[in-house]
Amino acid sequence: MKNNHISDLIPAYLDGTLDKNTQKKAEEHLSQCPDCQKELEEMKTLFKAFEDDVPHVPTNRLRNKFEEALEAEKESLGKMVPLVPKKKSNWATNLLKVAASIALLVASFQMGSLFQQRKVDGDMAILKDETLQMKQTAMLSLMENQSASKRIQGVNYIEEFEHPDEAIIQALANRLIHDENDNVRLTAFEALSKFSASDTVKNVFIEALGKEKNPSIQIGIIEMLVQIQEKKAIAPMKKLLEQEDTQPFIKEQIKAVLPKIT
Amino acid sequence: MKKMTLLFTALILSAMAHAQNDYTKSLNGIEWVKIESKADIVVRTYTSNEILIKAGDRHEVSERAKGLRLVGEGGNDNTEVGFYVVQDGNTLIVKNLRKSEGAEIFLPKNQNVAVKSTWNGNIEINGFAGEIEADAQLNGSIEILDVNGPVTANTLNGEVTVEFGAVKQSSPISIYSTNGAVDVTMPGNTPADLSLSSVNGDIYTNFDLKREEKDGLKSVSGRKVNAAINNGGVNISLKSTNGNIYLRKQ
């Protein structure tokens, strides 16, 4: 049995967990084999050492020290831009970026629509201007039409213009002074009488009064000139008084209004 | 056979007599016919596209004037009926050279006509669909009946009577008189913007006038009335300085 060492069984022998047969055989072998006895002793010592070994619990001081050190380490780490806050700030930056791009989008949309609006406004202004231009062209060309009704239509276009320019006033003046049709002249007079504040119109009225043969227009011009107290009207009125072909009621009208112009 | 010869002679004679009193001229390329006369003028429609002038029946050439031409203010008689007719561009100018003899003139329905009476002549225009201009510069009156187109009429001392058929066009109607009355009849459904005014006369109508309101106030001036009928449309302006205005529903 010399060679039949039981070193494998020693820990179980020491723990007392071997069955009786194996226990007996192990005891027999141990009593004869010094090697195994030696090994048993060593094992016993080891086991005893295990049992005797008291776990070293760190003292409070050590714990405090450790925590201090940890705190210190944490603090030093905090100064070094820690990972988590960095991540957070990345997310915030992204949010900011998104917000910024949305803002940019909105802003550019707003700007775009503003410019578009401006452009549209500009276009509208141009269109309006063009419409007025077209109306003016239509008006001026209608006033040259062969048909008296069309010329009257042209003259009536004056209602479309709040501030007619010199070309329109001049065209109306031409109708009042030179048109062969009495109805056109009377309509032109009525159109011009809305702008009697203009010096051009006043002078046109005075010129027309010297030429006009239609009593209806004569009386209209006389009333208008009296209303605006135009002193230059006195001379053509006196001339009308002297003319034989002036209608009697025109003469009476002139006699009645002449003293009113002071 | 003798009877036949007689009939033929009579026909030829009557044709010759007819020819003496009538004048015709084609209206190809003519847009406006402008008639000027001191005496009465009646203008009527017919279907032929030419102008037909029927001079007064009393027209006879005196023995003394035989072989001579009538020379008038505006030109020489080139029609044998006492008229001077000349084309100026797209306008046919027709002048009555006789001071006291009127005439009847026939024109196609759609012809644009301008008639001017420069002395005592009355103007009568009947049945046109084209544009009409009538001007009685002194004592004549104007009567325009059964018309559809734009009308411009003006008198000094005579009155103006106009009876419209349907009024559909866009160009304005303008009827003025200084001393005479203006009397206009038109269909009750005529859409129009009316402007009626009389300085010394009165305005009468049986149209329901919706007067223009300014700041909620209705115009009450008797001298001038602006109103829209049937929601507005063609501009119709009727004016008289010393006469009355009558606007009637048909």
Side-chain angles (χ1 to χ4, degrees):
Chain A
M1 281 280 288
K2 262 237 172 173
N3 295 325
N4 216 359
H5 292 308
I6 56 151
S7 33
D8 290 347
L9 296 172
I10 287 172
Y13 173 79
L14 281 174
D15 280 347
T17 52
L18 291 173
D19 58 86
K20 284 180 178 172
N21 267 348
T22 324
Q23 179 107 6
K24 268 187 185 167
K25 279 178 187 171
E27 279 171 4
E28 281 171 18
H29 179 80
L30 277 169
S31 57
Q32 293 161 14
C33 171
D35 282 350
C36 280
Q37 277 174 16
K38 197 185 172 190
E39 200 175 336
L40 180 71
E41 281 313 306
E42 278 171 359
M43 194 64 82
K44 266 185 185 167
T45 316
L46 182 66
F47 271 53
K48 199 170 187 284
F50 275 136
E51 269 165 35
D52 289 350
D53 188 38
V54 181
H56 287 277
V57 179
T59 59
N60 278 345
R61 207 167 139 254
L62 182 67
R63 193 188 176 88
N64 286 346
K65 264 197 172 175
F66 172 75
E67 299 225 314
E68 264 174 37
L70 186 64
E71 280 305 306
E73 187 66 24
K74 266 189 184 172
E75 249 166 58
S76 73
L77 277 175
K79 278 173 193 162
M80 285 171 63
V81 190
L83 265 178
V84 174
K86 206 184 171 189
K87 260 193 181 170
K88 260 189 187 166
S89 91
N90 257 346
W91 182 77
T93 321
N94 281 343
L95 193 72
L96 270 176
K97 273 182 192 164
V98 171
S101 44
I102 288 172
L104 195 67
L105 191 71
V106 171
S108 47
F109 178 74
Q110 291 286 356
M111 288 291 275
S113 70
L114 187 72
F115 282 130
Q116 193 64 30
Q117 189 58 46
R118 274 194 196 160
K119 197 173 177 296
V120 167
D121 283 354
D123 285 354
M124 286 292 280
I126 290 167
L127 260 181
K128 214 175 169 188
D129 205 43
E130 273 178 6
T131 319
L132 270 188
Q133 282 289 329
M134 272 168 66
K135 272 185 187 155
Q136 180 163 348
T137 314
M139 182 180 175
L140 295 180
S141 95
L142 270 175
M143 277 198 262
E144 298 294 325
N145 198 289
Q146 207 173 358
S147 135
S149 177
K150 287 277 190 301
R151 292 202 296 276
I152 289 171
Q153 195 174 18
V155 171
N156 281 339
Y157 261 48
I158 190 68
E159 284 168 21
E160 308 279 334
F161 298 89
E162 245 176 272
H163 307 287
D165 64 16
E166 207 58 22
I168 293 177
I169 295 290
Q170 202 51 54
L172 288 174
N174 281 341
R175 285 304 117 211
L176 173 58
I177 294 171
H178 301 297
D179 203 288
E180 55 169 15
N181 187 294
D182 294 44
N183 297 54
V184 178
R185 288 204 305 277
L186 189 45
T187 315
F189 162 69
E190 283 170 354
L192 281 173
S193 61
K194 287 170 196 154
F195 308 98
S196 56
S198 142
D199 282 336
T200 319
V201 175
K202 279 181 205 168
N203 292 331
V204 167
F205 282 172
I206 291 161
E207 188 187 344
L209 191 58
K211 280 187 163 188
E212 187 56 60
K213 291 287 172 216
N214 184 309
S216 292
I217 305 173
Q218 284 173 340
I219 202 147
I221 295 175
I222 289 168
E223 278 184 3
M224 191 53 67
L225 289 173
V226 171
Q227 204 179 318
I228 57 178
Q229 290 282 317
E230 183 54 59
K231 288 195 179 62
K232 281 188 238 165
I234 295 174
M237 282 195 209
K238 283 185 172 160
K239 201 178 146 206
L240 277 175
L241 273 181
E242 287 159 14
Q243 278 170 359
E244 259 180 50
D245 61 352
T246 307
Q247 290 259 320
F249 81 95
I250 298 282
K251 289 189 176 176
E252 270 169 42
Q253 179 78 10
I254 292 173
K255 279 176 195 161
V257 298
L258 263 182
K260 287 187 195 165
I261 304 180
T262 48
Chain B
M1 197 59 197
K2 256 189 181 178
K3 263 188 179 178
M4 283 291 273
T5 335
L6 207 69
L7 195 68
F8 269 114
T9 334
L11 270 173
I12 289 161
L13 274 174
S14 73
M16 277 173 71
H18 194 70
Q20 260 191 344
N21 278 339
D22 289 357
Y23 168 83
T24 57
K25 181 176 167 65
S26 164
L27 288 171
N28 275 336
I30 300 290
E31 208 170 302
W32 279 89
V33 174
K34 296 201 169 175
I35 302 164
E36 202 181 305
S37 171
K38 283 188 159 61
D40 292 358
I41 287 289
V42 178
V43 189
R44 294 184 199 283
T45 55
Y46 75 149
T47 47
S48 178
N49 187 32
E50 51 189 17
I51 181 171
L52 166 64
I53 302 172
K54 283 190 173 181
D57 291 337
R58 290 162 297 158
H59 161 69
E60 48 194 46
V61 182
S62 73
E63 281 298 315
R64 284 198 174 194
K66 249 185 185 161
L68 304 177
R69 270 187 189 283
L70 177 66
V71 180
E73 277 176 72
N76 298 335
D77 181 0
N78 58 0
T79 60
E80 308 293 334
V81 289
F83 275 73
Y84 171 66
V85 177
V86 68
Q87 185 170 345
D88 175 18
N90 59 3
T91 306
L92 191 71
I93 295 168
V94 179
K95 280 186 182 169
N96 184 358
L97 301 176
R98 293 175 206 280
K99 295 185 176 77
S100 57
E101 275 179 46
E104 243 183 322
I105 296 174
F106 290 82
L107 292 167
K109 192 177 170 67
N110 289 316
Q111 185 64 50
N112 296 325
V113 191
V115 186
K116 193 189 277 184
S117 155
T118 51
W119 192 47
N120 275 340
N122 297 324
I123 298 170
E124 187 190 324
I125 299 171
N126 208 324
F128 282 86
E131 199 172 326
I132 292 170
E133 294 175 22
D135 184 6
Q137 288 183 325
L138 194 60
N139 293 327
S141 67
I142 297 175
E143 195 175 359
I144 302 172
L145 305 173
D146 186 23
V147 288
N148 296 317
V151 170
T152 334
N154 174 62
T155 68
L156 180 65
N157 295 324
E159 61 181 52
V160 194
T161 310
V162 183
E163 281 179 25
F164 285 100
V167 179
K168 283 175 285 188
Q169 82 283 357
S170 64
S171 20
I173 290 167
S174 161
I175 299 165
Y176 297 159
S177 175
T178 299
N179 296 324
V182 171
D183 193 325
V184 174
T185 307
M186 59 188 194
N189 60 1
T190 305
D193 289 313
L194 297 173
S195 167
L196 317 173
S197 86
S198 174
V199 180
N200 297 320
D202 293 314
I203 301 168
Y204 300 94
T205 183
N206 57 354
F207 276 94
D208 294 326
L209 301 187
K210 280 194 188 116
R211 290 203 176 178
E212 278 180 353
E213 289 183 18
K214 199 173 188 181
D215 304 329
L217 297 174
K218 280 185 181 173
S219 145
V220 287
S221 153
R223 287 175 64 171
K224 189 162 188 171
V225 180
N226 288 322
I229 51 169
N230 299 308
N231 298 322
V234 58
N235 272 314
I236 299 181
S237 177
L238 312 179
K239 284 190 174 57
S240 175
T241 305
N242 297 322
N244 289 345
I245 309 263
Y246 304 91
L247 178 61
R248 304 167 199 276
K249 264 187 207 176
Q250 215 162 45

